[in-house]
Amino acid sequence: MEALIGTGAFLLHGSENAIGVCSWVLSEGKKTERQVRQKISVGKYREEIPMSDKRMENNRVNVTGKIHSGFRYSHQVLGERFYLVDIAVSRESGYTDIMPFMFSDKLLDVSQDCTGVMVNVTGQFRSYNRHEETKNRLVLSVFVQEAEFLEEEPGNDRESNRIFLEGFICKEPVYRKTPLGRQIADILLAVNRPYGKSDYIPCIAWGRNARFAGRLEVGTAVRIQGRIQSREYMKWLSQEKAEVRVAYEVSVSVMEQKAGGDKP
C-alpha cells in the first residue's frame, strides 16, 4: 500500500471511507484485532495546508503505528479544534515508543474511538512552551497533516518512524561519554516555521554523529535524519516528591552541516 508523503491536495473527512473506518472497530469489538482489521475501509485524510506551509520542507515526519488512546481536546484556533491522541510505534528491538499526535477535527472524526487501529501519518514535529509555576516547559507533539488507516503493520522501524529536519543549533551541544565509553551529544535544534515562528527540537546523537555535533557552534545550519523516540525520566519536584515524566526527542542517524548556511 502506497503511503502518503506529499502535502499538496486535501480530502475532507466527510468521504465514504472516512465515515466507516472506526465504526467497524466499535461494532466488531468482540472479534479479534485481525478479523476487525480485515473489515476496515482504508481511509485517506488530508488537511488543507496554507501555501506558505507547502514550501516548508525543513520539518517532515512520517510515522506508522497503532492508535493507543482516545482523542482528548487540546485547544482551538479560529473555530478549528485540535485534539491529541497517543500512537504506539514499535522498534525492531521490541521497545514501543508512545508519542502524542495533534489532529484537527477538520481532518477526521475525532468523536470515534479508533483505539487499536493501525495508521500512517505525515506531518511536522512541533513544540511550544507551557508555563509551569516559575518556568516554562517545552512540550512536543507531531502535528498531523495527512493520515491513512492501514490494514497491515509496517515491516521495520526505519520505515515506520522517520523524520527529516533542517535547522540551526540554538544551544551549545553537550558532548559526553557513558560509563561504558559510548559517545553521546545532546542537541537543541531551531527549525523555522512561517510567520516568524520556530520549533525547538531536542535531538540525541551517538558515536561519530556525537563527535561531529560536539564541535558545532551555536548558529550552525544542519540537516538531520532519524526517528522520534520517547523515554521516561524521574523529575524531582522537591527533596521528598518526584514524578515520572516522558521526554520526546529525535534519535539522529544522519547528521550533516548544511552547505552555505552557518547562521540563521
Side-chain angles (χ1 to χ4, degrees):
M1 186 177 302
E2 182 179 357
L4 295 172
I5 301 297
T7 56
F10 68 95
L11 176 66
L12 294 180
H13 66 282
S15 70
E16 181 179 352
N17 277 345
I19 295 172
V21 170
C22 296
S23 59
W24 278 115
V25 178
L26 295 174
S27 63
E28 301 290 336
K30 295 183 179 180
K31 294 190 176 183
T32 66
E33 179 184 332
R34 182 175 181 83
Q35 288 174 318
V36 172
R37 188 182 291 127
Q38 288 173 348
K39 286 195 171 185
I40 292 176
S41 299
V42 176
K44 300 177 181 179
Y45 315 86
R46 295 178 179 175
E47 178 195 21
E48 183 177 8
I49 302 169
M51 288 299 295
S52 57
D53 277 3
K54 291 179 185 178
R55 295 193 294 267
M56 299 302 292
E57 295 295 323
N58 59 347
N59 186 339
R60 302 195 302 272
V61 175
N62 186 265
V63 171
T64 301
K66 188 175 292 185
I67 296 178
H68 190 70
S69 71
F71 292 91
R72 52 194 186 272
Y73 177 75
S74 172
H75 64 282
Q76 179 174 322
V77 178
L78 298 177
E80 185 174 5
R81 293 175 176 267
F82 294 89
Y83 293 78
L84 283 168
V85 66
D86 295 328
I87 296 180
V89 184
S90 298
R91 301 187 199 175
E92 282 187 325
S93 64
Y95 183 84
T96 299
D97 294 293
I98 299 176
M99 301 175 292
F101 289 71
M102 186 79 69
F103 282 82
S104 165
D105 64 351
K106 293 185 178 180
L107 187 63
L108 53 78
D109 183 1
V110 297
S111 66
Q112 295 282 4
D113 181 6
C114 297
T115 305
V117 177
M118 189 65 62
V119 63
N120 172 264
V121 299
T122 299
Q124 297 179 330
F125 201 24
R126 293 188 177 180
S127 70
Y128 74 93
N129 281 319
R130 183 170 67 198
H131 187 71
E132 293 185 352
E133 296 179 354
T134 59
K135 59 183 179 180
N136 291 328
R137 180 184 175 191
L138 190 67
V139 179
L140 297 130
S141 63
V142 176
F143 182 81
V144 178
Q145 295 171 327
E146 298 177 357
E148 177 181 5
F149 290 97
L150 306 177
E151 295 176 334
E152 299 179 357
E153 296 190 19
N156 59 62
D157 68 332
R158 291 186 180 180
E159 294 178 355
S160 65
N161 186 344
R162 294 174 292 174
I163 183 168
F164 172 83
L165 298 171
E166 283 189 4
F168 300 90
I169 304 293
C170 61
K171 185 179 180 181
E172 185 177 350
V174 178
Y175 173 83
R176 65 190 190 280
K177 287 186 179 182
T178 68
L180 297 177
R182 193 174 189 188
Q183 300 169 93
I184 304 175
D186 296 312
I187 307 151
L188 188 62
L189 198 68
V191 181
N192 291 334
R193 248 201 278 166
Y195 312 115
K197 296 182 179 180
S198 296
D199 294 297
Y200 297 92
I201 311 299
C203 306
I204 185 167
W206 310 85
R208 288 179 295 178
N209 285 325
R211 291 197 302 273
F212 173 72
R215 300 193 299 266
L216 297 178
E217 297 180 354
V218 173
T220 303
V222 296
R223 293 188 181 96
I224 284 176
Q225 296 180 52
R227 59 177 172 81
I228 304 172
Q229 66 180 22
S230 62
R231 60 177 176 85
E232 291 186 348
Y233 69 98
M234 189 70 71
K235 173 68 174 181
W236 288 94
L237 305 178
S238 66
Q239 292 183 346
E240 299 179 350
K241 185 179 179 181
E243 66 179 18
V244 177
R245 292 186 177 180
V246 180
Y248 307 101
E249 60 198 4
V250 173
S251 179
V252 177
S253 58
V254 178
M255 184 176 188
E256 60 182 4
Q257 187 169 349
K258 185 178 177 182
D262 292 327
K263 300 293 180 182

